[in-house]
Amino acid sequence: MESMVVFLILYSILIVFDLIPMIRKKDKKALFVAVPVYILTLTADIMLSFGANLPSPSKFIGNIVTSIIH
Amino acid sequence: MNHKITAKQIEATLFMFWMGSIVVIGASSQAKQDSWIAILLAGILFLPLMFLYIRLSTLYPGKNLYEILFAVFGKIFGRVITLIYVLYSIHLGALVLNVFSTFIHVLNMPETPEPAILFFIILLAVWTVKSGPENIGRISKYTFPILVASILVTFVLSIKDMDLGYLKPIMNTDMKTLLSSALSVCILPLGEIIICLSFLSAVDNQVKMSKVYFQGMIWTLAIILIVNIRNILILGFPSVTMFYFPSYEAVSIISIGEFFSRIEVLIGVNLMLAGFIKVAVCVYSASLGLTKLLNAEDQKLFVVPCGLMMVTLSGMLYENTIEWMESIKIYEIYAIPFLVLLPVVILIGAEIRARKNRTKTKNPPAPNKEAEGS
């Protein structure tokens, strides 16, 4: 729960000082990256703060490396 | 006002980037009491890679890594390799953030949620990168002496707790283990310097990059060597391998009289300084790559998305500290394509491209007679 509060504060700061000015600038390329990243990372962070087990990229990389070595 | 990075600033940035996580984790310990020999060997093994980076910066003066990629491989392959390095920068940044939060969470603030630790680091890193690459250079220049001084202070203060016997028997490790250990140091952290090539376009044109690389590497090797010897002489083997953060444990032993103790806080400060620079460099490199990838104009707009990806990824990487320690071995193999193979391919491509350009300038195409006649 504390983690979620921290994430919400972080995202509100970033939305106010980064995303809203970006929307005002109407830079399509930047918005094309920023909006999906904000949505996906916020969702993932909230899920992590609730203790959800998201697939770890390290395990995936580890499996690939191990399969190549052996 | 000069906005270019000076020689001293880029040298300090390279050093701080290299020291990023090594000051806490310590160098590879496969070679046990001979790991100091492995570090020296790593310096020799790294030389060809360093010449590769020097050659790249000579062939394309004033161009950063991504501009070189586009110039060498064209738009399509250039974009593919740029995307690879953007993802690698984000992953590396996430790894450093993870070391940061684990270190503080495990040793200093177990009650504080890890996102709170990441929150402050990433906000500061994003702010620094948004202020321009020259700011990272400036911060590195001023924090570099603090890091060196704190390491030297811990070394001198711990002399009374050292046992020279821990270094014996010297050269008792077989050549295979020694070379493997040297290769580990060569890849992690020395090889990671390719990310710093993103700074080349921001460096003053008069800076001699070969001198910067050499001096930065010598400083780094000297400090890694001091840290490693200090840890071995205080803790000895196998105790060094028993701790997640051997530097912290080694320095925590220091106490002078009954009033001068808790020096280990300096290790945390070192991580703060060097780790922060490393995260900032990764954020800068990833955002610059994204800008080039999308052919956008303003790099600063991509800084926050890259920082957010790093924070989220660092939370997803490992479930516990044991998993993290085991993944370091995997990382040494996983990083080889990004740090060794791809740079070799880039250099070969750059050399071919440079030769083609030279033959073009030597034998310019014959002038069109019809055009001349008209």
Side-chain angles (χ1 to χ4, degrees):
Chain A
M1 195 64 190
E2 297 138 338
S3 301
M4 199 182 76
V5 174
V6 171
F7 278 127
L8 289 177
I9 296 170
L10 173 73
Y11 277 86
S12 2
I13 292 172
L14 292 176
I15 286 170
V16 170
F17 291 102
D18 183 73
L19 194 63
I20 293 173
M22 200 188 287
I23 293 167
R24 278 190 190 144
K25 267 190 177 179
K26 290 177 183 171
D27 190 321
K28 282 181 186 173
K29 283 175 183 171
L31 285 170
F32 172 74
V33 174
V35 174
V37 167
Y38 268 83
I39 295 169
L40 288 175
T41 53
L42 179 61
T43 313
D45 287 333
I46 288 173
M47 283 168 82
L48 284 171
S49 62
F50 278 117
N53 271 331
L54 296 180
S56 161
S58 294
K59 280 182 188 165
F60 176 69
I61 292 167
N63 291 339
I64 293 174
V65 171
T66 322
S67 64
I68 291 169
I69 293 170
H70 297 291
Chain B
M1 196 175 165
N2 184 20
H3 285 295
K4 286 280 181 183
I5 300 175
T6 63
K8 278 193 177 175
Q9 287 173 353
I10 188 73
E11 194 184 312
T13 309
L14 293 182
F15 172 79
M16 298 298 273
F17 181 84
W18 268 321
M19 297 307 292
S21 36
I22 213 87
V23 278
V24 179
I25 304 169
S28 168
S29 52
Q30 290 170 52
K32 295 177 183 173
Q33 72 278 2
D34 288 332
S35 50
W36 60 277
I37 304 169
I39 291 168
L40 292 175
L41 264 176
I44 298 165
L45 285 177
F46 182 65
L47 283 177
L49 261 183
M50 200 171 64
F51 285 124
L52 188 154
Y53 299 138
I54 292 169
R55 182 72 184 144
L56 272 179
S57 44
T58 323
L59 284 173
Y60 293 94
K63 285 194 172 181
N64 63 47
L65 173 68
Y66 304 108
E67 286 168 342
I68 294 173
L69 288 176
F70 272 70
V72 173
F73 297 106
K75 280 186 181 174
I76 299 169
F77 282 110
R79 277 209 165 91
V80 172
I81 304 176
T82 299
L83 180 67
I84 292 172
Y85 276 111
V86 166
L87 293 176
Y88 178 71
S89 303
I90 291 170
H91 187 209
L92 183 62
L95 287 170
V96 181
L97 278 176
N98 198 277
V99 176
F100 241 126
S101 57
T102 310
F103 177 81
I104 296 172
H105 186 71
V106 170
L107 295 168
N108 302 114
M109 297 191 280
E111 298 292 321
T112 309
E114 285 191 41
I117 301 161
L118 295 173
F119 173 101
F120 290 105
I121 300 161
I122 205 67
L123 269 188
L124 197 59
V126 160
W127 186 18
T128 310
V129 176
K130 276 201 160 202
S131 309
E134 67 279 0
N135 277 301
I136 302 174
R138 252 179 259 151
I139 295 170
S140 306
K141 190 186 159 190
Y142 291 110
T143 49
F144 164 71
I146 300 171
L147 191 135
V148 174
S150 66
I151 288 172
L152 292 178
V153 164
T154 56
F155 187 86
V156 172
L157 290 178
S158 60
I159 286 176
K160 69 178 180 59
D161 299 306
M162 290 177 180
D163 182 356
L164 278 174
Y166 284 140
L167 278 182
K168 293 174 188 171
I170 295 172
M171 283 300 283
N172 192 38
T173 318
D174 60 293
M175 205 56 196
K176 195 184 162 191
T177 317
L178 208 59
L179 276 173
S180 158
S181 185
L183 203 66
S184 300
V185 180
C186 185
I187 290 166
L188 179 86
L190 296 179
E192 288 171 345
I193 202 69
I194 186 134
I195 302 295
C196 281
L197 293 191
S198 330
F199 276 87
L200 288 180
S201 54
V203 175
D204 195 338
N205 289 337
Q206 289 174 336
V207 172
K208 221 180 166 188
M209 283 311 287
S210 52
K211 196 181 163 192
V212 167
Y213 280 125
F214 265 110
Q215 285 183 348
M217 191 192 78
I218 288 166
W219 270 109
T220 308
L221 282 177
I223 295 297
I224 295 177
L225 207 62
I226 291 171
V227 168
N228 195 267
I229 290 177
R230 179 199 64 199
N231 294 353
I232 294 172
L233 290 179
I234 297 175
L235 299 173
F237 268 94
S239 305
V240 171
T241 49
M242 282 162 60
F243 301 109
Y244 293 132
F245 307 105
S247 293
Y248 188 86
E249 301 298 337
V251 173
S252 67
I253 291 173
I254 300 171
S255 73
I256 297 168
E258 279 179 12
F259 63 96
F260 197 70
S261 58
R262 306 289 295 173
I263 319 281
E264 65 269 26
V265 75
L266 282 177
I267 301 296
V269 173
N270 287 348
L271 176 73
M272 282 287 169
L273 300 176
F276 160 69
I277 298 288
K278 195 165 182 172
V279 172
V281 169
C282 290
V283 173
Y284 176 72
S285 173
S287 58
L288 194 71
L290 262 182
T291 316
K292 191 78 186 156
L293 199 68
L294 296 169
N295 203 15
E297 281 173 8
D298 195 356
Q299 173 251 334
K300 288 175 187 173
L301 296 176
F302 297 92
V303 174
V304 173
C306 291
L308 286 177
M309 282 192 266
M310 281 178 197
V311 170
T312 310
L313 194 62
S314 81
M316 287 163 67
L317 282 174
Y318 315 111
E319 280 172 21
N320 50 51
T321 321
I322 299 166
E323 210 176 274
W324 165 55
M325 291 312 282
E326 281 173 359
S327 73
I328 292 175
K329 291 168 202 158
I330 299 284
Y331 178 78
E332 285 166 6
I333 302 163
Y334 149 81
I336 290 174
F338 307 104
L339 309 179
V340 183
L341 300 181
L342 268 176
V344 170
V345 173
I346 297 166
L347 182 70
I348 293 169
E351 289 287 356
I352 293 168
R353 186 72 64 174
R355 276 189 193 177
K356 271 186 186 173
N357 288 346
R358 251 178 267 150
T359 32
K360 266 186 192 172
T361 43
K362 270 183 188 173
N363 311 314
N368 193 338
K369 281 180 184 174
E370 281 178 23
E372 270 182 5
S374 64

mmCIF file of all heavy atoms in Angstrom, chain B residues 321-351:
data_model
loop_
_atom_site.group_PDB
_atom_site.id
_atom_site.type_symbol
_atom_site.label_atom_id
_atom_site.label_comp_id
_atom_site.label_asym_id
_atom_site.label_seq_id
_atom_site.Cartn_x
_atom_site.Cartn_y
_atom_site.Cartn_z
ATOM 1 N N THR B 321 17.271 -11.237 -3.146
ATOM 2 C CA THR B 321 18.682 -10.895 -3.317
ATOM 3 C C THR B 321 19.487 -12.072 -3.869
ATOM 4 O O THR B 321 20.437 -11.860 -4.629
ATOM 5 C CB THR B 321 19.270 -10.440 -1.958
ATOM 6 O OG1 THR B 321 18.301 -9.651 -1.290
ATOM 7 C CG2 THR B 321 20.523 -9.624 -2.125
ATOM 8 N N ILE B 322 19.112 -13.297 -3.496
ATOM 9 C CA ILE B 322 19.849 -14.476 -3.979
ATOM 10 C C ILE B 322 19.721 -14.572 -5.511
ATOM 11 O O ILE B 322 20.713 -14.794 -6.211
ATOM 12 C CB ILE B 322 19.311 -15.769 -3.311
ATOM 13 C CG1 ILE B 322 19.504 -15.665 -1.797
ATOM 14 C CG2 ILE B 322 19.997 -17.017 -3.862
ATOM 15 C CD1 ILE B 322 18.729 -16.681 -1.003
ATOM 16 N N GLU B 323 18.511 -14.348 -5.986
ATOM 17 C CA GLU B 323 18.264 -14.374 -7.435
ATOM 18 C C GLU B 323 19.124 -13.317 -8.136
ATOM 19 O O GLU B 323 19.680 -13.558 -9.205
ATOM 20 C CB GLU B 323 16.785 -14.076 -7.672
ATOM 21 C CG GLU B 323 16.226 -14.731 -8.921
ATOM 22 C CD GLU B 323 14.745 -14.480 -9.036
ATOM 23 O OE1 GLU B 323 13.964 -15.256 -8.453
ATOM 24 O OE2 GLU B 323 14.383 -13.507 -9.705
ATOM 25 N N TRP B 324 19.242 -12.168 -7.497
ATOM 26 C CA TRP B 324 20.032 -11.063 -8.047
ATOM 27 C C TRP B 324 21.512 -11.452 -8.148
ATOM 28 O O TRP B 324 22.149 -11.240 -9.182
ATOM 29 C CB TRP B 324 19.835 -9.811 -7.182
ATOM 30 C CG TRP B 324 20.827 -8.719 -7.409
ATOM 31 C CD1 TRP B 324 21.125 -8.129 -8.598
ATOM 32 C CD2 TRP B 324 21.659 -8.099 -6.438
ATOM 33 N NE1 TRP B 324 22.085 -7.167 -8.423
ATOM 34 C CE2 TRP B 324 22.428 -7.134 -7.112
ATOM 35 C CE3 TRP B 324 21.818 -8.246 -5.056
ATOM 36 C CZ2 TRP B 324 23.354 -6.323 -6.453
ATOM 37 C CZ3 TRP B 324 22.734 -7.427 -4.405
ATOM 38 C CH2 TRP B 324 23.494 -6.490 -5.099
ATOM 39 N N MET B 325 22.050 -12.043 -7.076
ATOM 40 C CA MET B 325 23.464 -12.421 -7.077
ATOM 41 C C MET B 325 23.750 -13.486 -8.143
ATOM 42 O O MET B 325 24.780 -13.463 -8.805
ATOM 43 C CB MET B 325 23.891 -12.947 -5.697
ATOM 44 C CG MET B 325 23.918 -11.909 -4.603
ATOM 45 S SD MET B 325 24.769 -10.388 -5.029
ATOM 46 C CE MET B 325 26.463 -10.888 -4.849
ATOM 47 N N GLU B 326 22.814 -14.415 -8.307
ATOM 48 C CA GLU B 326 23.006 -15.479 -9.302
ATOM 49 C C GLU B 326 22.938 -14.929 -10.726
ATOM 50 O O GLU B 326 23.603 -15.439 -11.624
ATOM 51 C CB GLU B 326 21.954 -16.579 -9.108
ATOM 52 C CG GLU B 326 22.312 -17.505 -7.959
ATOM 53 C CD GLU B 326 21.220 -18.491 -7.626
ATOM 54 O OE1 GLU B 326 20.161 -18.450 -8.275
ATOM 55 O OE2 GLU B 326 21.438 -19.290 -6.694
ATOM 56 N N SER B 327 22.133 -13.891 -10.898
ATOM 57 C CA SER B 327 21.969 -13.351 -12.249
ATOM 58 C C SER B 327 23.210 -12.610 -12.740
ATOM 59 O O SER B 327 23.342 -12.360 -13.939
ATOM 60 C CB SER B 327 20.765 -12.430 -12.298
ATOM 61 O OG SER B 327 21.088 -11.236 -11.632
ATOM 62 N N ILE B 328 24.113 -12.236 -11.825
ATOM 63 C CA ILE B 328 25.333 -11.527 -12.250
ATOM 64 C C ILE B 328 26.148 -12.419 -13.194
ATOM 65 O O ILE B 328 26.689 -11.956 -14.200
ATOM 66 C CB ILE B 328 26.168 -11.077 -11.023
ATOM 67 C CG1 ILE B 328 25.403 -9.983 -10.265
ATOM 68 C CG2 ILE B 328 27.535 -10.532 -11.441
ATOM 69 C CD1 ILE B 328 26.032 -9.532 -8.980
ATOM 70 N N LYS B 329 26.188 -13.734 -12.896
ATOM 71 C CA LYS B 329 26.930 -14.675 -13.758
ATOM 72 C C LYS B 329 26.293 -14.728 -15.150
ATOM 73 O O LYS B 329 26.982 -14.786 -16.164
ATOM 74 C CB LYS B 329 26.913 -16.078 -13.130
ATOM 75 C CG LYS B 329 27.736 -16.181 -11.869
ATOM 76 C CD LYS B 329 27.430 -17.490 -11.160
ATOM 77 C CE LYS B 329 27.804 -17.387 -9.693
ATOM 78 N NZ LYS B 329 27.081 -18.379 -8.880
ATOM 79 N N ILE B 330 24.964 -14.726 -15.172
ATOM 80 C CA ILE B 330 24.244 -14.754 -16.455
ATOM 81 C C ILE B 330 24.528 -13.454 -17.224
ATOM 82 O O ILE B 330 24.758 -13.461 -18.422
ATOM 83 C CB ILE B 330 22.709 -14.893 -16.221
ATOM 84 C CG1 ILE B 330 22.380 -16.197 -15.493
ATOM 85 C CG2 ILE B 330 21.917 -14.756 -17.518
ATOM 86 C CD1 ILE B 330 22.425 -17.452 -16.315
ATOM 87 N N TYR B 331 24.538 -12.334 -16.472
ATOM 88 C CA TYR B 331 24.729 -11.025 -17.101
ATOM 89 C C TYR B 331 26.064 -10.945 -17.835
ATOM 90 O O TYR B 331 26.158 -10.364 -18.921
ATOM 91 C CB TYR B 331 24.636 -9.913 -16.045
ATOM 92 C CG TYR B 331 24.864 -8.545 -16.632
ATOM 93 C CD1 TYR B 331 23.858 -7.899 -17.342
ATOM 94 C CD2 TYR B 331 26.097 -7.910 -16.513
ATOM 95 C CE1 TYR B 331 24.078 -6.657 -17.897
ATOM 96 C CE2 TYR B 331 26.325 -6.671 -17.076
ATOM 97 C CZ TYR B 331 25.313 -6.046 -17.765
ATOM 98 O OH TYR B 331 25.536 -4.814 -18.337
ATOM 99 N N GLU B 332 27.103 -11.570 -17.247
ATOM 100 C CA GLU B 332 28.436 -11.524 -17.869
ATOM 101 C C GLU B 332 28.421 -12.153 -19.258
ATOM 102 O O GLU B 332 29.164 -11.737 -20.139
ATOM 103 C CB GLU B 332 29.446 -12.252 -16.976
ATOM 104 C CG GLU B 332 29.822 -11.434 -15.755
ATOM 105 C CD GLU B 332 30.544 -12.234 -14.692
ATOM 106 O OE1 GLU B 332 30.868 -13.418 -14.943
ATOM 107 O OE2 GLU B 332 30.766 -11.686 -13.611
ATOM 108 N N ILE B 333 27.577 -13.159 -19.452
ATOM 109 C CA ILE B 333 27.480 -13.801 -20.776
ATOM 110 C C ILE B 333 26.509 -13.022 -21.664
ATOM 111 O O ILE B 333 26.796 -12.756 -22.823
ATOM 112 C CB ILE B 333 27.015 -15.273 -20.624
ATOM 113 C CG1 ILE B 333 28.013 -16.010 -19.730
ATOM 114 C CG2 ILE B 333 26.909 -15.962 -21.982
ATOM 115 C CD1 ILE B 333 27.497 -17.303 -19.173
ATOM 116 N N TYR B 334 25.402 -12.621 -21.059
ATOM 117 C CA TYR B 334 24.361 -11.899 -21.809
ATOM 118 C C TYR B 334 24.886 -10.585 -22.398
ATOM 119 O O TYR B 334 24.497 -10.176 -23.502
ATOM 120 C CB TYR B 334 23.175 -11.659 -20.864
ATOM 121 C CG TYR B 334 22.369 -10.416 -21.096
ATOM 122 C CD1 TYR B 334 21.400 -10.378 -22.091
ATOM 123 C CD2 TYR B 334 22.558 -9.277 -20.312
ATOM 124 C CE1 TYR B 334 20.657 -9.232 -22.296
ATOM 125 C CE2 TYR B 334 21.828 -8.130 -20.512
ATOM 126 C CZ TYR B 334 20.871 -8.110 -21.509
ATOM 127 O OH TYR B 334 20.137 -6.967 -21.719
ATOM 128 N N ALA B 335 25.832 -9.932 -21.668
ATOM 129 C CA ALA B 335 26.306 -8.615 -22.105
ATOM 130 C C ALA B 335 27.328 -8.694 -23.241
ATOM 131 O O ALA B 335 27.567 -7.687 -23.911
ATOM 132 C CB ALA B 335 26.901 -7.872 -20.911
ATOM 133 N N ILE B 336 27.921 -9.881 -23.475
ATOM 134 C CA ILE B 336 28.989 -9.999 -24.484
ATOM 135 C C ILE B 336 28.555 -9.484 -25.873
ATOM 136 O O ILE B 336 29.280 -8.701 -26.482
ATOM 137 C CB ILE B 336 29.551 -11.444 -24.537
ATOM 138 C CG1 ILE B 336 30.346 -11.704 -23.254
ATOM 139 C CG2 ILE B 336 30.447 -11.664 -25.766
ATOM 140 C CD1 ILE B 336 30.840 -13.119 -23.092
ATOM 141 N N PRO B 337 27.382 -9.865 -26.397
ATOM 142 C CA PRO B 337 27.007 -9.350 -27.723
ATOM 143 C C PRO B 337 26.935 -7.817 -27.783
ATOM 144 O O PRO B 337 27.343 -7.220 -28.772
ATOM 145 C CB PRO B 337 25.617 -9.956 -27.970
ATOM 146 C CG PRO B 337 25.529 -11.104 -27.061
ATOM 147 C CD PRO B 337 26.385 -10.813 -25.885
ATOM 148 N N PHE B 338 26.438 -7.190 -26.706
ATOM 149 C CA PHE B 338 26.291 -5.724 -26.715
ATOM 150 C C PHE B 338 27.624 -5.002 -26.531
ATOM 151 O O PHE B 338 27.832 -3.932 -27.059
ATOM 152 C CB PHE B 338 25.348 -5.266 -25.590
ATOM 153 C CG PHE B 338 24.027 -5.961 -25.594
ATOM 154 C CD1 PHE B 338 23.749 -6.957 -24.677
ATOM 155 C CD2 PHE B 338 23.072 -5.631 -26.534
ATOM 156 C CE1 PHE B 338 22.531 -7.609 -24.684
ATOM 157 C CE2 PHE B 338 21.854 -6.272 -26.546
ATOM 158 C CZ PHE B 338 21.578 -7.274 -25.631
ATOM 159 N N LEU B 339 28.505 -5.630 -25.737
ATOM 160 C CA LEU B 339 29.729 -4.922 -25.345
ATOM 161 C C LEU B 339 30.951 -5.334 -26.159
ATOM 162 O O LEU B 339 31.938 -4.610 -26.199
ATOM 163 C CB LEU B 339 30.007 -5.138 -23.858
ATOM 164 C CG LEU B 339 28.845 -4.854 -22.906
ATOM 165 C CD1 LEU B 339 29.233 -5.122 -21.480
ATOM 166 C CD2 LEU B 339 28.363 -3.427 -23.070
ATOM 167 N N VAL B 340 30.902 -6.501 -26.782
ATOM 168 C CA VAL B 340 32.073 -6.954 -27.542
ATOM 169 C C VAL B 340 31.721 -7.208 -29.016
ATOM 170 O O VAL B 340 32.324 -6.603 -29.915
ATOM 171 C CB VAL B 340 32.690 -8.234 -26.907
ATOM 172 C CG1 VAL B 340 33.940 -8.656 -27.664
ATOM 173 C CG2 VAL B 340 32.997 -8.029 -25.434
ATOM 174 N N LEU B 341 30.753 -8.089 -29.273
ATOM 175 C CA LEU B 341 30.473 -8.485 -30.657
ATOM 176 C C LEU B 341 29.956 -7.323 -31.523
ATOM 177 O O LEU B 341 30.504 -7.055 -32.587
ATOM 178 C CB LEU B 341 29.476 -9.655 -30.679
ATOM 179 C CG LEU B 341 29.930 -10.935 -29.966
ATOM 180 C CD1 LEU B 341 28.881 -12.022 -30.081
ATOM 181 C CD2 LEU B 341 31.248 -11.448 -30.546
ATOM 182 N N LEU B 342 28.912 -6.640 -31.023
ATOM 183 C CA LEU B 342 28.352 -5.535 -31.818
ATOM 184 C C LEU B 342 29.365 -4.402 -32.048
ATOM 185 O O LEU B 342 29.487 -3.933 -33.184
ATOM 186 C CB LEU B 342 27.083 -4.992 -31.159
ATOM 187 C CG LEU B 342 25.769 -5.641 -31.629
ATOM 188 C CD1 LEU B 342 24.596 -5.099 -30.845
ATOM 189 C CD2 LEU B 342 25.539 -5.424 -33.102
ATOM 190 N N PRO B 343 30.137 -3.983 -31.016
ATOM 191 C CA PRO B 343 31.150 -2.951 -31.278
ATOM 192 C C PRO B 343 32.162 -3.376 -32.350
ATOM 193 O O PRO B 343 32.571 -2.553 -33.170
ATOM 194 C CB PRO B 343 31.840 -2.775 -29.915
ATOM 195 C CG PRO B 343 30.798 -3.125 -28.943
ATOM 196 C CD PRO B 343 30.003 -4.213 -29.564
ATOM 197 N N VAL B 344 32.532 -4.684 -32.389
ATOM 198 C CA VAL B 344 33.470 -5.162 -33.419
ATOM 199 C C VAL B 344 32.815 -5.027 -34.801
ATOM 200 O O VAL B 344 33.443 -4.529 -35.747
ATOM 201 C CB VAL B 344 33.903 -6.627 -33.134
ATOM 202 C CG1 VAL B 344 34.674 -7.204 -34.305
ATOM 203 C CG2 VAL B 344 34.738 -6.695 -31.862
ATOM 204 N N VAL B 345 31.532 -5.413 -34.882
ATOM 205 C CA VAL B 345 30.802 -5.296 -36.160
ATOM 206 C C VAL B 345 30.713 -3.815 -36.574
ATOM 207 O O VAL B 345 30.922 -3.478 -37.743
ATOM 208 C CB VAL B 345 29.387 -5.917 -36.027
ATOM 209 C CG1 VAL B 345 28.549 -5.666 -37.268
ATOM 210 C CG2 VAL B 345 29.479 -7.410 -35.751
ATOM 211 N N ILE B 346 30.443 -2.953 -35.590
ATOM 212 C CA ILE B 346 30.336 -1.510 -35.894
ATOM 213 C C ILE B 346 31.670 -0.988 -36.433
ATOM 214 O O ILE B 346 31.713 -0.253 -37.421
ATOM 215 C CB ILE B 346 29.907 -0.698 -34.642
ATOM 216 C CG1 ILE B 346 28.511 -1.126 -34.183
ATOM 217 C CG2 ILE B 346 29.916 0.794 -34.920
ATOM 218 C CD1 ILE B 346 28.138 -0.641 -32.787
ATOM 219 N N LEU B 347 32.777 -1.409 -35.798
ATOM 220 C CA LEU B 347 34.088 -0.930 -36.239
ATOM 221 C C LEU B 347 34.390 -1.422 -37.657
ATOM 222 O O LEU B 347 34.877 -0.647 -38.490
ATOM 223 C CB LEU B 347 35.191 -1.383 -35.269
ATOM 224 C CG LEU B 347 36.570 -0.878 -35.654
ATOM 225 C CD1 LEU B 347 36.685 0.625 -35.451
ATOM 226 C CD2 LEU B 347 37.671 -1.569 -34.883
ATOM 227 N N ILE B 348 34.100 -2.710 -37.931
ATOM 228 C CA ILE B 348 34.354 -3.248 -39.277
ATOM 229 C C ILE B 348 33.546 -2.436 -40.308
ATOM 230 O O ILE B 348 34.082 -2.000 -41.336
ATOM 231 C CB ILE B 348 34.001 -4.765 -39.339
ATOM 232 C CG1 ILE B 348 34.973 -5.553 -38.457
ATOM 233 C CG2 ILE B 348 34.052 -5.282 -40.776
ATOM 234 C CD1 ILE B 348 34.582 -7.003 -38.214
ATOM 235 N N GLY B 349 32.280 -2.209 -40.006
ATOM 236 C CA GLY B 349 31.418 -1.417 -40.900
ATOM 237 C C GLY B 349 31.971 -0.007 -41.088
ATOM 238 O O GLY B 349 32.005 0.512 -42.213
ATOM 239 N N ALA B 350 32.444 0.589 -39.984
ATOM 240 C CA ALA B 350 32.963 1.964 -40.035
ATOM 241 C C ALA B 350 34.228 2.021 -40.895
ATOM 242 O O ALA B 350 34.420 2.967 -41.667
ATOM 243 C CB ALA B 350 33.248 2.464 -38.634
ATOM 244 N N GLU B 351 35.095 1.003 -40.761
ATOM 245 C CA GLU B 351 36.338 0.973 -41.546
ATOM 246 C C GLU B 351 36.024 0.833 -43.036
ATOM 247 O O GLU B 351 36.623 1.517 -43.865
ATOM 248 C CB GLU B 351 37.224 -0.209 -41.094
ATOM 249 C CG GLU B 351 37.855 -0.033 -39.719
ATOM 250 C CD GLU B 351 38.983 0.979 -39.682
ATOM 251 O OE1 GLU B 351 39.367 1.515 -40.735
ATOM 252 O OE2 GLU B 351 39.464 1.263 -38.558
#
